[in-house]
Amino acid sequence: HAAFKQMRERGANVTDIVILVVAADDGVMEQTIESIRYAMEARVGLIVAINKCDKANVDIDRVKQELMEHDVVVEEYGGKHPVVQISALKGKGLDTLCETIHVMADVMDLRGQPTAKPVEAIVIESKKFQGLGSVCTVIVRKGTLNKTQFLVSTDKFAKIRTLRDENNADLVSVGPGEMAVISGWDKLPEAGDLIYGFTSKKQAETVLKSNVKSKNVRTTDELAKVYAERREEQMRSRRQQISELGDLSWFNLRKATRYDIEDPTLQFNKSSHDKPVLTIIIKVDVDGSADAFESILGEFQSNVVDLDIAYISVGAVNQNDISLAEEFSAVIYTFNESVPDSTMALASSNNVKIKSYNVIYHLMDDLLVKLEDLVPPLMELSVEGEAEILQIFESNNPLPDRTTAMGCRVRSGRINKDDDIV
């Protein structure tokens, strides 16, 4: 649960009403407290759904008391937060939960603005699909989205290629509160990014240029031109940097490196290691997974080994990843991304290890094992004997052949000819 802090925070800021699910047997946990804080900070409606109420010997009142300790006072205790008892396993109470959501929406007077311009949406998730390129899932906040529009998100641009629902069915339009999966992006948007839709391409390009200028970011065309001019020089330079790299300082370069490791403007920091180091590349299914790994790996600290993250990117392992892994002497980890046999064969021929997982904690366990293997063995100093210096004898030979001898008396233990003397 700790790995998904950013997802919970983003969810609270996207929605109008938060459903706080609390297990009747576990009660309020650390992630529950965190979710409560995010909901309070976002100033959204909050409904408590107590799950697993079908289990024997659960204490519902205990859960309500624990919630009250964290400023969530339920209606029956004089507060403003409704409580619904449910069982996700048996489907109990779900109709009541839906009714409660509708009632709260009416009380809060939540209304969409389908005619608002420009269209405003927020990215929930993003990933790369073969044949479609960069794809993102969005929820529309204002206005109505349709296929004729041009989209802008910070320095990213899209002419909508496909507009589909969660079942992959084509959509004609998408209104406030509705979701859609959009392809046609020149670059992958990040989860949490705002998207604006325009009917005029000229207007969209004007906003894009303004964003790029304010962020000092190069456009795609400019990057392509620079890359064509500097590709060979940059790759030579990168190989030299990689051979000297210590700490990649990846977390300070996250925005630059997450999605385009071949960006010619990319520069790694140089430093030397005085500890064993494990270098890794992580390929994930969606942008939210990258957030999770960033959160959990960012807390790694060790006095005996170093962990370097070359980069984390969305999408399947490709030839460029394998080439860079070979240069970095890195291990490639994939999360929820299948690796074709041809890719595995290419990696094997380049002596690059690829390890695939679909559970984040299993991947972390493997990572910890590899780091533990790098921990140097503990060396203990064993004192075999002690002696007292009685007299020092200097030879008369000229330097550098002059030697010093000491007359000693052993006070304890035993001193052998081959022992190291301190």
Side-chain angles (χ1 to χ4, degrees), residues 6-250:
Q6 290 176 303
M7 287 187 180
R8 284 191 281 270
E9 182 177 14
R10 187 162 58 242
N13 289 316
V14 167
T15 191
D16 296 304
I17 298 174
V18 167
I19 312 297
L20 183 69
V21 181
V22 186
D25 52 353
D26 292 333
V28 173
M29 306 289 284
E30 182 181 347
Q31 61 268 18
T32 314
I33 299 170
E34 185 180 79
S35 299
I36 291 171
R37 186 177 78 251
Y38 291 145
M40 296 296 186
E41 290 174 353
R43 299 181 181 276
V44 295
L46 189 148
I47 299 171
V48 178
I50 302 179
N51 192 25
K52 301 183 181 179
C53 290
D54 55 311
K55 295 185 70 173
N57 301 320
V58 293
D59 189 347
I60 305 299
D61 289 331
R62 176 183 65 87
V63 176
K64 296 175 183 176
Q65 290 287 344
E66 290 177 353
L67 288 167
M68 193 160 59
E69 293 173 5
H70 297 283
D71 299 325
V72 178
V73 184
V74 301
E75 287 178 338
E76 62 183 277
Y77 289 174
K80 63 179 181 179
H81 303 294
V83 174
V84 181
Q85 298 181 26
I86 66 171
S87 168
L89 181 65
K90 298 184 177 180
K92 174 186 174 183
L94 299 184
D95 289 340
T96 304
L97 178 60
C98 290
E99 292 173 4
T100 305
I101 294 171
H102 284 298
V103 170
M104 178 170 282
D106 287 339
V107 170
M108 295 174 65
D109 195 27
L110 298 177
R111 300 180 185 276
Q113 303 175 44
T115 59
K117 293 183 180 180
V119 177
E120 182 180 313
I122 190 163
V123 179
I124 302 301
E125 201 50 274
S126 58
K127 69 175 299 181
K128 292 183 178 179
F129 278 102
Q130 188 172 1
L132 286 177
S134 298
V135 176
C136 67
T137 302
V138 307
I139 291 181
V140 176
R141 301 178 70 173
K142 297 178 182 178
T144 300
L145 192 64
N146 62 64
K147 286 186 67 173
T148 64
Q149 292 170 342
F150 302 89
L151 308 181
V152 175
S153 177
T154 59
D155 61 323
K156 305 163 188 74
F157 178 84
K159 168 64 177 78
I160 299 178
R161 178 179 172 187
T162 60
L163 187 66
R164 294 172 178 167
D165 64 13
E166 67 275 17
N167 298 314
N168 207 34
D170 288 328
L171 297 170
V172 176
S173 62
V174 186
E178 297 177 340
M179 64 80 61
V181 180
I182 302 170
S183 69
W185 293 94
D186 60 350
K187 291 184 286 186
L188 192 70
E190 295 182 28
D193 280 355
L194 282 174
I195 292 174
Y196 297 96
F198 304 90
T199 55
S200 165
K201 183 178 181 181
K202 184 177 180 180
Q203 188 177 8
E205 289 177 338
T206 299
V207 173
L208 178 66
K209 289 178 181 178
S210 175
N211 290 348
V212 169
K213 184 177 180 180
S214 64
K215 287 172 64 67
N216 194 26
V217 182
R218 288 185 170 124
T219 65
T220 303
D221 290 342
E222 289 171 334
L223 280 176
K225 182 178 179 180
V226 173
Y227 185 68
E229 295 172 349
R230 295 180 55 194
R231 176 181 173 87
E232 186 174 348
E233 175 190 350
Q234 185 67 21
M235 291 307 291
R236 282 199 304 267
S237 174
R238 182 174 292 126
R239 289 189 180 95
Q240 178 63 31
Q241 290 177 1
I242 289 169
S243 67
E244 302 172 3
L245 276 178
D247 180 10
L248 296 180
S249 299
W250 177 83

